[in-house]
Amino acid sequence: MCIRSKLFVGMLSICTVAALLTGCGSSAPSETKEIVQEEKTEGEVQTEDKETEEGTSEENAAAEKKEGVDVSIEEQVLIDQDGIKITALEYVKDSIWGDGIKVLIENETDKDVMVGCNALIVNDYMINDLFASDVAAGKKSNETIYLSSSELKAAGIDTVGRIEIYFHVYDSDSFDNIFDSDCVTIETSAIDSIDMTANDEGTELYNDGGIRIIGKTVDENSFWGTAILLYIENQSGNNVGISVDDLSINGFMFTPYFSTTVYDGKKCIDDITIMSSELEENGIESIDEVELKFRIYNSDSYETIAESDPITFSAK
């Protein structure tokens, strides 16, 4: 998910919470299919199997090397603007909510304020934060900005090295905007040991104008029914939003529950949600062929930057 603008935000926020508590989107290996656009020869499959085995060994070795890395931060003032002061106190770990940054929020104004995030970025990946704090006029509050453990895992992040936050502060009574902060950056004690290799394995579906979209897997046992997992990379020079139009599965039209925001120079792992009720209504038990169009737009002005031609892929 950064507060990425989702369609049906409330419903998908529940999914994010479920992801933290129950592992939303996880499934047995047999229920997750790779996205492909063409058949592979037997020789290619054998070569890929060998590469996969080698890759797995390398990943295991890397995981063992990083096991036990102790992550901490120095206390630091993140924001001191218009009577609002936010100080990062420490890096914390919670058995349920995962890793997070404990912050002290001080409201020295005469207004009750709400503090949230426009975007949260970890190791260059957009991440949902689930953070909002209401602080009364003249009061303080200790809060924790949690990093979605399921999204860190999806992005392949096992050690947090850099956190970028764009704070959003507004009047909690009138909802008037007070200010949107510039990017504030927190570097952890593990900054020099993080692996910034892109988690971009899969089938390239779109690559134009600095926007690259990779289809990774189709998970037929996600929280709401089925999820088509995507890797998105933005080198366009603009903060962009991406949505899906004209989605069809096995020839039947579907409602695509997908909209994500990716800042310039950043990446994200996100999924297109397919409701199980729609699959049942159309009698679809297996997602064999998917066709869709991507719409890419400026996330500030909402002006369309590009619209893709129909893209067809299958899940095997």
Side-chain angles (χ1 to χ4, degrees):
M1 184 62 112
C2 64
I3 297 182
R4 287 168 286 165
S5 54
K6 286 282 190 180
L7 299 175
F8 294 83
V9 171
M11 179 181 68
L12 293 179
S13 294
I14 293 172
C15 182
T16 305
V17 173
L20 292 169
L21 297 176
T22 64
C24 173
S26 63
S27 67
S30 61
E31 294 166 329
T32 302
K33 303 177 180 179
E34 292 184 0
I35 291 175
V36 298
Q37 284 188 305
E38 61 181 3
E39 294 293 333
K40 297 179 176 62
T41 66
E42 183 178 350
E44 289 173 329
V45 171
Q46 291 174 348
T47 299
E48 288 188 356
D49 287 343
K50 182 178 179 180
E51 290 174 347
T52 300
E53 291 174 0
E54 293 174 349
T56 301
S57 298
E58 292 174 357
E59 290 168 3
N60 290 339
E64 290 174 2
K65 182 179 179 180
K66 290 185 177 181
E67 186 176 357
V69 172
D70 185 23
V71 178
S72 62
I73 64 169
E74 294 182 358
E75 182 174 318
Q76 56 200 277
V77 175
L78 304 178
I79 293 291
D80 192 352
Q81 179 178 344
D82 297 340
I84 305 297
K85 184 176 181 180
I86 305 174
T87 305
L89 301 176
E90 61 178 323
Y91 191 94
V92 298
K93 293 178 179 287
D94 185 273
S95 59
I96 295 177
W97 295 103
D99 293 10
I101 302 295
K102 184 177 179 181
V103 297
L104 171 64
I105 303 174
E106 301 175 73
N107 178 9
E108 297 175 354
T109 75
D110 58 0
K111 300 177 181 179
D112 297 344
V113 303
M114 183 70 76
V115 179
C117 298
N118 280 329
L120 175 67
I121 303 164
V122 178
N123 294 9
D124 284 349
Y125 279 88
M126 310 293 293
I127 298 292
N128 275 320
D129 58 271
L130 296 175
F131 175 73
S133 176
D134 198 352
V135 186
K139 304 301 181 182
K140 305 176 183 180
S141 182
N142 281 307
E143 303 286 350
T144 301
I145 303 173
Y146 285 108
L147 316 177
S148 169
S149 55
S150 61
E151 293 191 32
L152 294 180
K153 181 178 179 181
I157 298 173
D158 48 26
T159 302
V160 174
R162 181 185 299 111
I163 304 163
E164 298 168 80
I165 308 173
Y166 292 78
F167 285 105
H168 173 54
V169 181
Y170 60 94
D171 188 310
S172 57
D173 295 320
S174 67
F175 297 100
D176 290 338
N177 188 56
I178 296 176
F179 67 84
D180 292 315
S181 78
D182 293 331
C183 179
V184 297
T185 302
I186 304 170
E187 291 190 347
T188 77
S189 57
I191 184 63
D192 293 329
S193 63
I194 60 174
D195 182 2
M196 298 295 286
T197 304
N199 186 14
D200 61 352
E201 293 180 358
T203 298
E204 187 171 270
L205 304 178
Y206 181 88
N207 191 348
D208 189 43
I211 304 297
R212 184 168 173 247
I213 303 175
I214 304 294
K216 294 180 71 63
T217 59
V218 172
D219 181 356
E220 294 184 335
N221 191 36
S222 73
F223 187 79
W224 295 109
T226 294
I228 300 172
L229 189 66
L230 305 175
Y231 164 89
I232 303 170
E233 184 177 313
N234 177 14
Q235 300 293 340
S236 69
N238 296 297
N239 296 340
V240 303
I242 300 174
S243 59
V244 168
D245 295 322
D246 298 342
L247 172 67
S248 67
I249 297 173
N250 299 1
F252 290 90
M253 299 301 296
F254 273 75
T255 303
Y257 294 96
F258 176 79
S259 181
T260 193
T261 298
V262 189
Y263 280 26
D264 181 42
K266 306 304 178 183
K267 302 167 281 193
C268 83
I269 299 286
D270 208 341
D271 54 61
I272 304 169
T273 300
I274 311 299
M275 302 297 287
S276 57
S277 57
E278 280 197 87
L279 292 169
E280 292 170 3
E281 289 170 4
N282 289 291
I284 295 176
E285 297 180 355
S286 175
I287 295 180
D288 300 319
E289 184 177 270
V290 178
E291 184 175 292
L292 53 75
K293 295 178 182 178
F294 289 112
R295 175 177 173 261
I296 299 159
Y297 55 92
N298 185 295
S299 63
D300 297 318
S301 67
Y302 295 98
E303 292 183 1
T304 297
I305 296 172
E307 291 181 302
S308 75
D309 293 329
I311 298 168
T312 302
F313 56 91
S314 58
K316 300 296 183 182

